[in-house]
């Protein structure tokens, strides 16, 4: 069991484009993303902002490459019954790093939930 000292500590950060969710206009927006120790992916208008525009708790999400598009370097976060998020990085290295980091975070959050449930039951 590893205690988590600071749940807000950044694991990884950087600019990624995110596809808008509007039903009539799906537009790519570049946002500053921070994956934190709480296994939640926060996004900000830029790296100067303190208040996130949104946050995606990764528990239950599957992260994978998204190839069904004309764009390169896309990936998605899917969860049954929830919105699918689409992302786009600038290059292949970033794509590999983000998919890896988010996949690990989703797995960690699942483990954390399971250990919490086994302690509390
Ligand atoms: C917006 O499009 C942005 O893409 C928003 O992203 C997105 O919110 C909106 O989806 C979408 O309508 P316009 O700026 O062209 O209006 P961001 O918050 O990064 O600016 P999400 O939910 O993706 O944060 P809705 O469905 O939330 O309105």
């Amino acid at each position: 069991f590893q205690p988590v000292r600071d749940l807000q500590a950044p694991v990884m950060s950087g600019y990624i484009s995110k596809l808008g969710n509007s039903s009539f206009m799906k537009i790519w927006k570049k946002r500053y993303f921070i994956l934190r120790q709480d296994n939640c992916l926060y996004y900000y208008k830029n790296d100067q902002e303190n208040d996130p525009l949104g946050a995606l708790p990764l528990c239950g999400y599957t992260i994978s490459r998204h190839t069904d598009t004309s764009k390169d370097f896309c990936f998605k976060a899917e969860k049954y019954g929830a919105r699918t998020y689409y992302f786009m990085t600038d290059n292949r290295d970033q794509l590999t790093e983000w998919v890896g980091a988010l996949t690990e975070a989703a797995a960690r959050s699942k483990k954390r939930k399971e250990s919490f449930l086994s302690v509390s039951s």
Side-chain angles (χ1 to χ4, degrees), residues 39-55:
N39 299 318
C40 189
L41 181 65
Y42 297 82
Y43 55 93
Y44 303 78
K45 199 166 172 62
N46 57 52
D47 61 1
Q48 305 297 311
E49 296 290 328
N50 289 314
D51 299 330
L53 293 171

Side-chain angles (χ1 to χ4, degrees), residues 31-100:
R31 298 293 179 226
Y32 189 68
F33 283 78
I34 306 181
L35 171 64
R36 298 186 190 275
Q37 287 287 355
D38 61 1
N39 299 318
C40 189
L41 181 65
Y42 297 82
Y43 55 93
Y44 303 78
K45 199 166 172 62
N46 57 52
D47 61 1
Q48 305 297 311
E49 296 290 328
N50 289 314
D51 299 330
L53 293 171
L56 176 59
L58 291 164
C59 192
Y61 273 89
T62 303
I63 315 297
S64 62
R65 291 283 308 273
H66 176 53
T67 49
D68 186 17
T69 165
S70 59
K71 307 264 188 198
D72 291 329
F73 319 130
C74 289
F75 67 96
K76 59 188 171 181
E78 293 174 292
K79 178 178 165 175
Y80 180 73
R83 166 182 172 186
T84 299
Y85 284 83
Y86 295 95
F87 303 98
M88 180 169 57
T89 61
D90 287 342
N91 58 56
R92 187 171 302 278
D93 285 352
Q94 279 179 15
L95 177 66
T96 308
E97 280 177 38
W98 276 107
V99 169

Side-chain angles (χ1 to χ4, degrees), residues 18 20-22 27 29 31 43 53 83:
K18 171 179 123 307
N21 197 36
S22 156
I27 295 175
K29 296 272 166 84
R31 298 293 179 226
Y43 55 93
L53 293 171
R83 166 182 172 186

